[in-house]
Amino acid sequence: MVVELVRSVLTLREVDAEIRRREAFAVDAEIARRSLPDFYRLFWPAIEPDTPLEWNWHLDAICDHLAAVARGEVRTLLIEMPPRMLKTRSVSIMYPAWVWIDDPGQRWLAASGAEELAIRDTLRARRVMESPWY
């Protein structure tokens, strides 16, 4: 019985490792809350688990402009880019999830040319928000 009790008690190293893991988690979460590009990088695996994110300058530009919208510095934003440049993932998935961290009362209206695309993107946004990091 004593042996079983000893086995169930965490060692000091295990406790220390868990504390460090939780502190790192909290730091990552705070960095992501403050920065849309960091949020994007942290949550990318939630929407595209099998595809590595290849960050490029255009994603910085999109994130900078969207952050300006969130701060109220930009009232109208039009993003025109060729297909497959991550516009939908940036504007319809990552941006609203990022804004909702600090302003959960914010309301959004999104449109899509096809029902299956709207469902796909809604499910991706849900995966971000159901992630343990969120």
Side-chain angles (χ1 to χ4, degrees):
M1 178 130 175
V2 172
V3 173
E4 290 175 18
L5 182 61
V6 170
R7 285 183 191 159
S8 68
V9 176
L10 294 174
T11 67
L12 288 177
R13 285 186 183 164
E14 291 170 330
V15 170
D16 186 51
E18 179 62 18
I19 289 171
R20 288 177 192 217
R21 185 190 69 77
R22 289 182 184 191
E23 288 173 350
F25 181 87
V27 169
D28 286 344
E30 182 61 23
I31 290 170
R33 186 186 70 77
R34 294 180 185 197
S35 164
L36 181 54
D38 290 326
F39 179 89
Y40 206 123
R41 289 182 184 102
L42 181 65
F43 286 97
W44 177 260
I47 63 170
E48 292 287 347
D50 298 328
T51 306
L53 175 62
E54 295 183 27
W55 198 262
N56 200 347
W57 67 268
H58 77 284
L59 292 174
D60 281 322
I62 290 171
C63 289
D64 287 347
H65 284 80
L66 290 172
V69 171
R71 291 189 303 269
E73 297 168 4
V74 173
R75 291 186 42 93
T76 304
L77 178 63
L78 175 64
I79 301 174
E80 292 185 286
M81 296 169 57
R84 304 281 179 236
M85 299 293 290
L86 303 177
K87 291 182 304 291
T88 299
R89 286 170 185 81
S90 301
V91 177
S92 298
I93 298 170
M94 295 297 194
Y95 177 66
W98 180 68
V99 169
W100 278 328
I101 292 171
D102 288 328
D103 189 2
Q106 187 74 252
R107 299 179 83 182
W108 302 91
L109 175 63
S112 177
E115 182 179 4
E116 60 270 5
L117 297 178
I119 292 169
R120 177 199 69 189
D121 296 336
T122 301
L123 293 175
R124 285 178 175 166
R126 179 189 287 176
R127 283 199 301 264
V128 167
M129 290 178 261
E130 288 178 342
S131 165
W133 289 94
Y134 193 75

